PDB file of all heavy atoms in Angstrom:
ATOM      1  N   VAL A   1      -0.745   4.541  10.718  1.00 96.00           N
ATOM      2  CA  VAL A   1      -1.471   3.356  10.078  1.00 96.00           C
ATOM      3  C   VAL A   1      -0.934   2.047  10.789  1.00 96.00           C
ATOM      4  O   VAL A   1       0.259   1.718  10.430  1.00 96.00           O
ATOM      5  CB  VAL A   1      -1.292   3.381   8.602  1.00 96.00           C
ATOM      6  CG1 VAL A   1      -2.249   2.266   7.989  1.00 96.00           C
ATOM      7  CG2 VAL A   1      -1.578   4.679   8.032  1.00 96.00           C
ATOM      8  N   ASP A   2      -1.762   1.528  11.538  1.00 96.00           N
ATOM      9  CA  ASP A   2      -1.449   0.119  12.145  1.00 96.00           C
ATOM     10  C   ASP A   2      -2.373  -0.836  11.543  1.00 96.00           C
ATOM     11  O   ASP A   2      -3.538  -0.876  11.698  1.00 96.00           O
ATOM     12  CB  ASP A   2      -1.703   0.201  13.695  1.00 96.00           C
ATOM     13  CG  ASP A   2      -0.810   1.239  14.416  1.00 96.00           C
ATOM     14  OD1 ASP A   2       0.256   1.513  13.980  1.00 96.00           O
ATOM     15  OD2 ASP A   2      -1.300   1.718  15.414  1.00 96.00           O
ATOM     16  N   VAL A   3      -1.735  -1.638  10.662  1.00 97.00           N
ATOM     17  CA  VAL A   3      -2.377  -2.609   9.813  1.00 97.00           C
ATOM     18  C   VAL A   3      -2.662  -3.900  10.578  1.00 97.00           C
ATOM     19  O   VAL A   3      -1.718  -4.602  10.914  1.00 97.00           O
ATOM     20  CB  VAL A   3      -1.813  -2.777   8.464  1.00 97.00           C
ATOM     21  CG1 VAL A   3      -2.596  -3.814   7.601  1.00 97.00           C
ATOM     22  CG2 VAL A   3      -1.600  -1.517   7.732  1.00 97.00           C
ATOM     23  N   SER A   4      -3.913  -4.342  10.821  1.00 95.00           N
ATOM     24  CA  SER A   4      -4.212  -5.575  11.405  1.00 95.00           C
ATOM     25  C   SER A   4      -4.256  -6.673  10.316  1.00 95.00           C
ATOM     26  O   SER A   4      -4.828  -6.423   9.232  1.00 95.00           O
ATOM     27  CB  SER A   4      -5.640  -5.593  12.159  1.00 95.00           C
ATOM     28  OG  SER A   4      -5.651  -4.597  13.071  1.00 95.00           O
ATOM     29  N   ILE A   5      -3.725  -7.833  10.503  1.00 95.00           N
ATOM     30  CA  ILE A   5      -3.632  -8.862   9.591  1.00 95.00           C
ATOM     31  C   ILE A   5      -4.380 -10.052  10.105  1.00 95.00           C
ATOM     32  O   ILE A   5      -4.153 -10.633  11.237  1.00 95.00           O
ATOM     33  CB  ILE A   5      -2.116  -9.435   9.453  1.00 95.00           C
ATOM     34  CG1 ILE A   5      -1.252  -8.119   9.114  1.00 95.00           C
ATOM     35  CG2 ILE A   5      -2.001 -10.329   8.245  1.00 95.00           C
ATOM     36  CD1 ILE A   5      -1.538  -7.380   7.746  1.00 95.00           C
ATOM     37  N   ALA A   6      -5.417 -10.459   9.308  1.00 92.00           N
ATOM     38  CA  ALA A   6      -6.278 -11.545   9.796  1.00 92.00           C
ATOM     39  C   ALA A   6      -5.497 -12.876   9.630  1.00 92.00           C
ATOM     40  O   ALA A   6      -5.056 -13.279   8.557  1.00 92.00           O
ATOM     41  CB  ALA A   6      -7.521 -11.609   8.860  1.00 92.00           C
ATOM     42  N   VAL A   7      -5.376 -13.518  10.716  1.00 90.00           N
ATOM     43  CA  VAL A   7      -4.678 -14.860  10.721  1.00 90.00           C
ATOM     44  C   VAL A   7      -5.642 -15.938  11.284  1.00 90.00           C
ATOM     45  O   VAL A   7      -6.175 -15.798  12.336  1.00 90.00           O
ATOM     46  CB  VAL A   7      -3.355 -14.793  11.593  1.00 90.00           C
ATOM     47  CG1 VAL A   7      -2.643 -16.082  11.775  1.00 90.00           C
ATOM     48  CG2 VAL A   7      -2.360 -13.757  11.117  1.00 90.00           C
ATOM     49  N   SER A   8      -5.687 -17.139  10.668  1.00 86.00           N
ATOM     50  CA  SER A   8      -6.532 -18.186  11.029  1.00 86.00           C
ATOM     51  C   SER A   8      -5.666 -19.048  11.965  1.00 86.00           C
ATOM     52  O   SER A   8      -4.513 -19.449  11.597  1.00 86.00           O
ATOM     53  CB  SER A   8      -7.025 -19.025   9.830  1.00 86.00           C
ATOM     54  OG  SER A   8      -7.761 -20.131  10.275  1.00 86.00           O
ATOM     55  N   THR A   9      -6.229 -19.335  13.228  1.00 83.00           N
ATOM     56  CA  THR A   9      -5.505 -20.244  14.206  1.00 83.00           C
ATOM     57  C   THR A   9      -6.470 -21.345  14.548  1.00 83.00           C
ATOM     58  O   THR A   9      -7.604 -21.254  14.279  1.00 83.00           O
ATOM     59  CB  THR A   9      -5.195 -19.459  15.424  1.00 83.00           C
ATOM     60  OG1 THR A   9      -6.261 -19.213  16.183  1.00 83.00           O
ATOM     61  CG2 THR A   9      -4.394 -18.168  15.078  1.00 83.00           C
ATOM     62  N   PRO A  10      -5.998 -22.416  15.158  1.00 80.00           N
ATOM     63  CA  PRO A  10      -6.835 -23.459  15.672  1.00 80.00           C
ATOM     64  C   PRO A  10      -7.972 -23.099  16.607  1.00 80.00           C
ATOM     65  O   PRO A  10      -9.070 -23.550  16.664  1.00 80.00           O
ATOM     66  CB  PRO A  10      -5.897 -24.417  16.360  1.00 80.00           C
ATOM     67  CG  PRO A  10      -4.568 -24.237  15.814  1.00 80.00           C
ATOM     68  CD  PRO A  10      -4.582 -22.817  15.381  1.00 80.00           C
ATOM     69  N   ALA A  11      -7.778 -21.912  17.351  1.00 76.00           N
ATOM     70  CA  ALA A  11      -8.685 -21.430  18.267  1.00 76.00           C
ATOM     71  C   ALA A  11      -9.697 -20.456  17.523  1.00 76.00           C
ATOM     72  O   ALA A  11     -10.737 -20.129  18.173  1.00 76.00           O
ATOM     73  CB  ALA A  11      -8.046 -20.640  19.386  1.00 76.00           C
ATOM     74  N   GLY A  12      -9.392 -19.972  16.310  1.00 80.00           N
ATOM     75  CA  GLY A  12     -10.224 -18.949  15.633  1.00 80.00           C
ATOM     76  C   GLY A  12      -9.389 -17.876  14.957  1.00 80.00           C
ATOM     77  O   GLY A  12      -8.185 -17.952  14.944  1.00 80.00           O
ATOM     78  N   LEU A  13     -10.036 -16.931  14.463  1.00 85.00           N
ATOM     79  CA  LEU A  13      -9.463 -15.893  13.729  1.00 85.00           C
ATOM     80  C   LEU A  13      -8.906 -14.778  14.797  1.00 85.00           C
ATOM     81  O   LEU A  13      -9.568 -14.453  15.716  1.00 85.00           O
ATOM     82  CB  LEU A  13     -10.502 -15.238  12.863  1.00 85.00           C
ATOM     83  CG  LEU A  13      -9.938 -14.165  11.805  1.00 85.00           C
ATOM     84  CD1 LEU A  13      -9.059 -14.899  10.736  1.00 85.00           C
ATOM     85  CD2 LEU A  13     -11.055 -13.409  11.145  1.00 85.00           C
ATOM     86  N   ILE A  14      -7.769 -14.350  14.535  1.00 88.00           N
ATOM     87  CA  ILE A  14      -7.114 -13.253  15.341  1.00 88.00           C
ATOM     88  C   ILE A  14      -6.279 -12.258  14.446  1.00 88.00           C
ATOM     89  O   ILE A  14      -5.978 -12.707  13.353  1.00 88.00           O
ATOM     90  CB  ILE A  14      -6.168 -13.827  16.441  1.00 88.00           C
ATOM     91  CG1 ILE A  14      -5.876 -12.809  17.520  1.00 88.00           C
ATOM     92  CG2 ILE A  14      -4.941 -14.375  15.798  1.00 88.00           C
ATOM     93  CD1 ILE A  14      -5.216 -13.363  18.649  1.00 88.00           C
ATOM     94  N   THR A  15      -6.261 -11.024  14.777  1.00 91.00           N
ATOM     95  CA  THR A  15      -5.676 -10.001  13.885  1.00 91.00           C
ATOM     96  C   THR A  15      -4.428  -9.360  14.662  1.00 91.00           C
ATOM     97  O   THR A  15      -4.560  -8.241  15.158  1.00 91.00           O
ATOM     98  CB  THR A  15      -6.794  -9.008  13.564  1.00 91.00           C
ATOM     99  OG1 THR A  15      -7.443  -8.504  14.814  1.00 91.00           O
ATOM    100  CG2 THR A  15      -7.885  -9.585  12.689  1.00 91.00           C
ATOM    101  N   PRO A  16      -3.263 -10.010  14.533  1.00 93.00           N
ATOM    102  CA  PRO A  16      -2.129  -9.226  14.954  1.00 93.00           C
ATOM    103  C   PRO A  16      -1.827  -8.059  14.140  1.00 93.00           C
ATOM    104  O   PRO A  16      -2.378  -7.947  12.991  1.00 93.00           O
ATOM    105  CB  PRO A  16      -0.971 -10.276  14.843  1.00 93.00           C
ATOM    106  CG  PRO A  16      -1.529 -11.275  13.872  1.00 93.00           C
ATOM    107  CD  PRO A  16      -3.036 -11.306  14.025  1.00 93.00           C
ATOM    108  N   ILE A  17      -1.053  -7.128  14.681  1.00 95.00           N
ATOM    109  CA  ILE A  17      -0.911  -5.797  14.142  1.00 95.00           C
ATOM    110  C   ILE A  17       0.528  -5.426  13.634  1.00 95.00           C
ATOM    111  O   ILE A  17       1.458  -5.781  14.417  1.00 95.00           O
ATOM    112  CB  ILE A  17      -1.359  -4.710  15.148  1.00 95.00           C
ATOM    113  CG1 ILE A  17      -2.837  -5.002  15.623  1.00 95.00           C
ATOM    114  CG2 ILE A  17      -1.284  -3.359  14.496  1.00 95.00           C
ATOM    115  CD1 ILE A  17      -3.122  -4.211  16.836  1.00 95.00           C
ATOM    116  N   VAL A  18       0.611  -5.032  12.426  1.00 96.00           N
ATOM    117  CA  VAL A  18       1.959  -4.459  12.043  1.00 96.00           C
ATOM    118  C   VAL A  18       1.869  -2.918  12.209  1.00 96.00           C
ATOM    119  O   VAL A  18       1.116  -2.243  11.561  1.00 96.00           O
ATOM    120  CB  VAL A  18       2.122  -4.587  10.408  1.00 96.00           C
ATOM    121  CG1 VAL A  18       3.429  -4.035   9.995  1.00 96.00           C
ATOM    122  CG2 VAL A  18       2.128  -6.154  10.127  1.00 96.00           C
ATOM    123  N   PHE A  19       2.551  -2.464  13.330  1.00 96.00           N
ATOM    124  CA  PHE A  19       2.521  -1.072  13.741  1.00 96.00           C
ATOM    125  C   PHE A  19       3.295  -0.187  12.804  1.00 96.00           C
ATOM    126  O   PHE A  19       4.343  -0.606  12.302  1.00 96.00           O
ATOM    127  CB  PHE A  19       2.997  -0.920  15.156  1.00 96.00           C
ATOM    128  CG  PHE A  19       2.119  -1.575  16.181  1.00 96.00           C
ATOM    129  CD1 PHE A  19       2.308  -2.841  16.719  1.00 96.00           C
ATOM    130  CD2 PHE A  19       1.041  -0.923  16.652  1.00 96.00           C
ATOM    131  CE1 PHE A  19       1.571  -3.457  17.613  1.00 96.00           C
ATOM    132  CE2 PHE A  19       0.121  -1.464  17.592  1.00 96.00           C
ATOM    133  CZ  PHE A  19       0.347  -2.710  18.033  1.00 96.00           C
ATOM    134  N   ASN A  20       2.758   0.964  12.604  1.00 96.00           N
ATOM    135  CA  ASN A  20       3.396   1.965  11.697  1.00 96.00           C
ATOM    136  C   ASN A  20       3.924   1.402  10.279  1.00 96.00           C
ATOM    137  O   ASN A  20       5.011   1.695   9.913  1.00 96.00           O
ATOM    138  CB  ASN A  20       4.677   2.474  12.423  1.00 96.00           C
ATOM    139  CG  ASN A  20       4.371   3.323  13.736  1.00 96.00           C
ATOM    140  OD1 ASN A  20       3.474   4.117  13.711  1.00 96.00           O
ATOM    141  ND2 ASN A  20       4.876   2.913  14.850  1.00 96.00           N
ATOM    142  N   ALA A  21       2.970   0.669   9.761  1.00 95.00           N
ATOM    143  CA  ALA A  21       3.263   0.131   8.419  1.00 95.00           C
ATOM    144  C   ALA A  21       3.563   1.138   7.401  1.00 95.00           C
ATOM    145  O   ALA A  21       4.226   0.773   6.346  1.00 95.00           O
ATOM    146  CB  ALA A  21       2.062  -0.826   8.009  1.00 95.00           C
ATOM    147  N   HIS A  22       3.031   2.359   7.531  1.00 95.00           N
ATOM    148  CA  HIS A  22       3.284   3.394   6.475  1.00 95.00           C
ATOM    149  C   HIS A  22       4.662   3.906   6.413  1.00 95.00           C
ATOM    150  O   HIS A  22       5.074   4.464   5.428  1.00 95.00           O
ATOM    151  CB  HIS A  22       2.337   4.529   6.647  1.00 95.00           C
ATOM    152  CG  HIS A  22       2.469   5.237   8.137  1.00 95.00           C
ATOM    153  ND1 HIS A  22       2.352   4.540   9.239  1.00 95.00           N
ATOM    154  CD2 HIS A  22       2.783   6.521   8.473  1.00 95.00           C
ATOM    155  CE1 HIS A  22       2.546   5.341  10.362  1.00 95.00           C
ATOM    156  NE2 HIS A  22       2.826   6.515   9.796  1.00 95.00           N
ATOM    157  N   ILE A  23       5.382   3.594   7.455  1.00 94.00           N
ATOM    158  CA  ILE A  23       6.864   4.149   7.505  1.00 94.00           C
ATOM    159  C   ILE A  23       7.869   2.945   7.509  1.00 94.00           C
ATOM    160  O   ILE A  23       8.995   3.105   7.546  1.00 94.00           O
ATOM    161  CB  ILE A  23       7.125   5.074   8.680  1.00 94.00           C
ATOM    162  CG1 ILE A  23       6.845   4.352  10.015  1.00 94.00           C
ATOM    163  CG2 ILE A  23       6.319   6.331   8.488  1.00 94.00           C
ATOM    164  CD1 ILE A  23       7.275   5.224  11.217  1.00 94.00           C
ATOM    165  N   LYS A  24       7.434   1.692   7.439  1.00 94.00           N
ATOM    166  CA  LYS A  24       8.277   0.622   7.454  1.00 94.00           C
ATOM    167  C   LYS A  24       8.589   0.164   6.019  1.00 94.00           C
ATOM    168  O   LYS A  24       7.752   0.298   5.210  1.00 94.00           O
ATOM    169  CB  LYS A  24       7.601  -0.622   8.214  1.00 94.00           C
ATOM    170  CG  LYS A  24       7.622  -0.381   9.778  1.00 94.00           C
ATOM    171  CD  LYS A  24       7.131  -1.630  10.482  1.00 94.00           C
ATOM    172  CE  LYS A  24       7.264  -1.497  12.071  1.00 94.00           C
ATOM    173  NZ  LYS A  24       6.740  -2.561  12.653  1.00 94.00           N
ATOM    174  N   GLY A  25       9.811  -0.381   5.842  1.00 93.00           N
ATOM    175  CA  GLY A  25      10.101  -1.013   4.619  1.00 93.00           C
ATOM    176  C   GLY A  25       9.534  -2.411   4.416  1.00 93.00           C
ATOM    177  O   GLY A  25       8.983  -2.995   5.350  1.00 93.00           O
ATOM    178  N   LEU A  26       9.494  -2.991   3.203  1.00 93.00           N
ATOM    179  CA  LEU A  26       8.980  -4.284   2.961  1.00 93.00           C
ATOM    180  C   LEU A  26       9.616  -5.366   3.663  1.00 93.00           C
ATOM    181  O   LEU A  26       9.006  -6.194   4.170  1.00 93.00           O
ATOM    182  CB  LEU A  26       9.085  -4.501   1.397  1.00 93.00           C
ATOM    183  CG  LEU A  26       8.287  -3.536   0.446  1.00 93.00           C
ATOM    184  CD1 LEU A  26       8.692  -3.869  -0.914  1.00 93.00           C
ATOM    185  CD2 LEU A  26       6.791  -3.979   0.683  1.00 93.00           C
ATOM    186  N   ALA A  27      10.988  -5.258   3.857  1.00 92.00           N
ATOM    187  CA  ALA A  27      11.610  -6.378   4.614  1.00 92.00           C
ATOM    188  C   ALA A  27      11.309  -6.318   6.100  1.00 92.00           C
ATOM    189  O   ALA A  27      10.990  -7.380   6.648  1.00 92.00           O
ATOM    190  CB  ALA A  27      13.134  -6.180   4.507  1.00 92.00           C
ATOM    191  N   SER A  28      11.109  -5.081   6.642  1.00 93.00           N
ATOM    192  CA  SER A  28      10.634  -5.065   8.051  1.00 93.00           C
ATOM    193  C   SER A  28       9.209  -5.504   8.181  1.00 93.00           C
ATOM    194  O   SER A  28       8.881  -6.267   9.167  1.00 93.00           O
ATOM    195  CB  SER A  28      10.701  -3.599   8.509  1.00 93.00           C
ATOM    196  OG  SER A  28      10.270  -3.466   9.805  1.00 93.00           O
ATOM    197  N   ILE A  29       8.312  -5.212   7.268  1.00 95.00           N
ATOM    198  CA  ILE A  29       6.931  -5.669   7.284  1.00 95.00           C
ATOM    199  C   ILE A  29       6.892  -7.191   7.145  1.00 95.00           C
ATOM    200  O   ILE A  29       6.191  -7.931   7.836  1.00 95.00           O
ATOM    201  CB  ILE A  29       6.170  -5.116   6.123  1.00 95.00           C
ATOM    202  CG1 ILE A  29       5.868  -3.525   6.372  1.00 95.00           C
ATOM    203  CG2 ILE A  29       4.754  -5.810   5.945  1.00 95.00           C
ATOM    204  CD1 ILE A  29       5.168  -2.828   5.341  1.00 95.00           C
ATOM    205  N   SER A  30       7.809  -7.836   6.274  1.00 93.00           N
ATOM    206  CA  SER A  30       7.788  -9.236   6.120  1.00 93.00           C
ATOM    207  C   SER A  30       8.209  -9.842   7.410  1.00 93.00           C
ATOM    208  O   SER A  30       7.569 -11.020   7.724  1.00 93.00           O
ATOM    209  CB  SER A  30       8.811  -9.560   4.933  1.00 93.00           C
ATOM    210  OG  SER A  30       8.837 -10.977   4.731  1.00 93.00           O
ATOM    211  N   LYS A  31       9.263  -9.415   8.115  1.00 93.00           N
ATOM    212  CA  LYS A  31       9.659 -10.020   9.358  1.00 93.00           C
ATOM    213  C   LYS A  31       8.528  -9.907  10.393  1.00 93.00           C
ATOM    214  O   LYS A  31       8.291 -10.868  11.118  1.00 93.00           O
ATOM    215  CB  LYS A  31      10.920  -9.273   9.852  1.00 93.00           C
ATOM    216  CG  LYS A  31      12.161  -9.559   8.931  1.00 93.00           C
ATOM    217  CD  LYS A  31      13.326  -8.746   9.580  1.00 93.00           C
ATOM    218  CE  LYS A  31      14.582  -8.989   8.751  1.00 93.00           C
ATOM    219  NZ  LYS A  31      15.775  -8.242   9.355  1.00 93.00           N
ATOM    220  N   ASP A  32       7.897  -8.783  10.502  1.00 94.00           N
ATOM    221  CA  ASP A  32       6.825  -8.559  11.432  1.00 94.00           C
ATOM    222  C   ASP A  32       5.652  -9.536  11.256  1.00 94.00           C
ATOM    223  O   ASP A  32       5.205 -10.305  12.169  1.00 94.00           O
ATOM    224  CB  ASP A  32       6.261  -7.066  11.383  1.00 94.00           C
ATOM    225  CG  ASP A  32       7.160  -6.237  12.041  1.00 94.00           C
ATOM    226  OD1 ASP A  32       8.192  -6.605  12.591  1.00 94.00           O
ATOM    227  OD2 ASP A  32       6.905  -4.984  11.973  1.00 94.00           O
ATOM    228  N   VAL A  33       5.295  -9.788   9.944  1.00 94.00           N
ATOM    229  CA  VAL A  33       4.197 -10.640   9.641  1.00 94.00           C
ATOM    230  C   VAL A  33       4.581 -12.092   9.914  1.00 94.00           C
ATOM    231  O   VAL A  33       3.727 -12.829  10.475  1.00 94.00           O
ATOM    232  CB  VAL A  33       3.797 -10.492   8.096  1.00 94.00           C
ATOM    233  CG1 VAL A  33       2.790 -11.569   7.670  1.00 94.00           C
ATOM    234  CG2 VAL A  33       3.207  -9.160   7.929  1.00 94.00           C
ATOM    235  N   ALA A  34       5.686 -12.499   9.601  1.00 92.00           N
ATOM    236  CA  ALA A  34       6.227 -13.914   9.777  1.00 92.00           C
ATOM    237  C   ALA A  34       6.166 -14.173  11.406  1.00 92.00           C
ATOM    238  O   ALA A  34       5.732 -15.230  11.717  1.00 92.00           O
ATOM    239  CB  ALA A  34       7.555 -14.146   9.179  1.00 92.00           C
ATOM    240  N   SER A  35       6.744 -13.141  12.109  1.00 92.00           N
ATOM    241  CA  SER A  35       6.847 -13.396  13.555  1.00 92.00           C
ATOM    242  C   SER A  35       5.429 -13.420  14.241  1.00 92.00           C
ATOM    243  O   SER A  35       5.171 -14.236  15.001  1.00 92.00           O
ATOM    244  CB  SER A  35       7.650 -12.291  14.160  1.00 92.00           C
ATOM    245  OG  SER A  35       7.625 -12.282  15.576  1.00 92.00           O
ATOM    246  N   LEU A  36       4.507 -12.386  13.765  1.00 92.00           N
ATOM    247  CA  LEU A  36       3.250 -12.367  14.374  1.00 92.00           C
ATOM    248  C   LEU A  36       2.438 -13.538  14.042  1.00 92.00           C
ATOM    249  O   LEU A  36       1.643 -14.132  14.896  1.00 92.00           O
ATOM    250  CB  LEU A  36       2.636 -11.126  13.866  1.00 92.00           C
ATOM    251  CG  LEU A  36       3.145  -9.835  14.491  1.00 92.00           C
ATOM    252  CD1 LEU A  36       2.589  -8.540  13.717  1.00 92.00           C
ATOM    253  CD2 LEU A  36       2.868  -9.658  15.981  1.00 92.00           C
ATOM    254  N   ALA A  37       2.456 -14.039  12.772  1.00 90.00           N
ATOM    255  CA  ALA A  37       1.675 -15.226  12.367  1.00 90.00           C
ATOM    256  C   ALA A  37       2.123 -16.444  13.131  1.00 90.00           C
ATOM    257  O   ALA A  37       1.212 -17.251  13.532  1.00 90.00           O
ATOM    258  CB  ALA A  37       1.812 -15.417  10.902  1.00 90.00           C
ATOM    259  N   ALA A  38       3.384 -16.625  13.337  1.00 89.00           N
ATOM    260  CA  ALA A  38       3.891 -17.822  14.039  1.00 89.00           C
ATOM    261  C   ALA A  38       3.328 -17.685  15.566  1.00 89.00           C
ATOM    262  O   ALA A  38       2.937 -18.750  16.077  1.00 89.00           O
ATOM    263  CB  ALA A  38       5.428 -17.889  13.960  1.00 89.00           C
ATOM    264  N   LYS A  39       3.463 -16.645  16.137  1.00 88.00           N
ATOM    265  CA  LYS A  39       3.044 -16.495  17.566  1.00 88.00           C
ATOM    266  C   LYS A  39       1.615 -16.531  17.605  1.00 88.00           C
ATOM    267  O   LYS A  39       1.091 -17.213  18.632  1.00 88.00           O
ATOM    268  CB  LYS A  39       3.583 -15.111  18.079  1.00 88.00           C
ATOM    269  CG  LYS A  39       5.003 -14.984  18.173  1.00 88.00           C
ATOM    270  CD  LYS A  39       5.541 -13.595  18.537  1.00 88.00           C
ATOM    271  CE  LYS A  39       5.054 -13.190  19.895  1.00 88.00           C
ATOM    272  NZ  LYS A  39       5.645 -11.798  20.286  1.00 88.00           N
ATOM    273  N   ALA A  40       0.860 -16.153  16.776  1.00 86.00           N
ATOM    274  CA  ALA A  40      -0.600 -16.303  16.753  1.00 86.00           C
ATOM    275  C   ALA A  40      -1.042 -17.773  16.750  1.00 86.00           C
ATOM    276  O   ALA A  40      -1.942 -18.168  17.403  1.00 86.00           O
ATOM    277  CB  ALA A  40      -1.156 -15.510  15.589  1.00 86.00           C
ATOM    278  N   ARG A  41      -0.443 -18.565  15.811  1.00 85.00           N
ATOM    279  CA  ARG A  41      -0.830 -20.033  15.638  1.00 85.00           C
ATOM    280  C   ARG A  41      -0.376 -20.805  16.846  1.00 85.00           C
ATOM    281  O   ARG A  41      -0.910 -21.747  17.235  1.00 85.00           O
ATOM    282  CB  ARG A  41      -0.233 -20.519  14.402  1.00 85.00           C
ATOM    283  CG  ARG A  41      -0.901 -19.899  13.089  1.00 85.00           C
ATOM    284  CD  ARG A  41      -0.391 -20.616  11.842  1.00 85.00           C
ATOM    285  NE  ARG A  41      -0.948 -19.921  10.681  1.00 85.00           N
ATOM    286  CZ  ARG A  41      -0.413 -19.044   9.984  1.00 85.00           C
ATOM    287  NH1 ARG A  41       0.991 -18.744  10.112  1.00 85.00           N
ATOM    288  NH2 ARG A  41      -0.951 -18.574   8.849  1.00 85.00           N
ATOM    289  N   GLU A  42       0.722 -20.288  17.582  1.00 84.00           N
ATOM    290  CA  GLU A  42       1.148 -20.993  18.723  1.00 84.00           C
ATOM    291  C   GLU A  42       0.445 -20.505  20.050  1.00 84.00           C
ATOM    292  O   GLU A  42       0.745 -21.027  21.108  1.00 84.00           O
ATOM    293  CB  GLU A  42       2.677 -20.761  18.991  1.00 84.00           C
ATOM    294  CG  GLU A  42       3.452 -21.457  17.821  1.00 84.00           C
ATOM    295  CD  GLU A  42       4.949 -21.144  17.889  1.00 84.00           C
ATOM    296  OE1 GLU A  42       5.323 -20.392  18.839  1.00 84.00           O
ATOM    297  OE2 GLU A  42       5.679 -21.548  17.016  1.00 84.00           O
ATOM    298  N   GLY A  43      -0.419 -19.561  19.892  1.00 79.00           N
ATOM    299  CA  GLY A  43      -1.058 -19.033  21.087  1.00 79.00           C
ATOM    300  C   GLY A  43      -0.181 -18.185  22.010  1.00 79.00           C
ATOM    301  O   GLY A  43      -0.517 -17.974  23.116  1.00 79.00           O
ATOM    302  N   LYS A  44       0.852 -17.483  21.383  1.00 83.00           N
ATOM    303  CA  LYS A  44       1.675 -16.793  22.301  1.00 83.00           C
ATOM    304  C   LYS A  44       1.670 -15.240  22.014  1.00 83.00           C
ATOM    305  O   LYS A  44       2.651 -14.527  22.581  1.00 83.00           O
ATOM    306  CB  LYS A  44       3.158 -17.287  21.965  1.00 83.00           C
ATOM    307  CG  LYS A  44       3.526 -18.789  22.325  1.00 83.00           C
ATOM    308  CD  LYS A  44       4.883 -19.210  22.003  1.00 83.00           C
ATOM    309  CE  LYS A  44       5.175 -20.528  22.539  1.00 83.00           C
ATOM    310  NZ  LYS A  44       6.543 -21.048  22.206  1.00 83.00           N
TER     311      LYS A  44
END
């Protein structure tokens, strides 16, 4: 289960992925989401 997260950016909507979300802990998911959302908004 690779969960795509809809993130709004200045360029439009993009869906970074939390890979293997079914076997990750909440803290690991939280770190992934924060990192992916920041990179998405910066276009990186």
Side-chain angles (χ1 to χ4, degrees):
V1 187
D2 298 331
V3 180
S4 302
I5 309 300
V7 176
S8 178
T9 72
L13 191 68
I14 194 167
T15 51
I17 304 167
V18 178
F19 292 97
N20 296 308
H22 59 299
I23 59 175
K24 286 185 175 178
L26 291 168
S28 179
I29 290 175
S30 180
K31 290 179 180 179
D32 285 355
V33 172
S35 173
L36 290 168
K39 292 170 71 175
R41 295 188 179 101
E42 295 173 0
K44 295 182 179 180

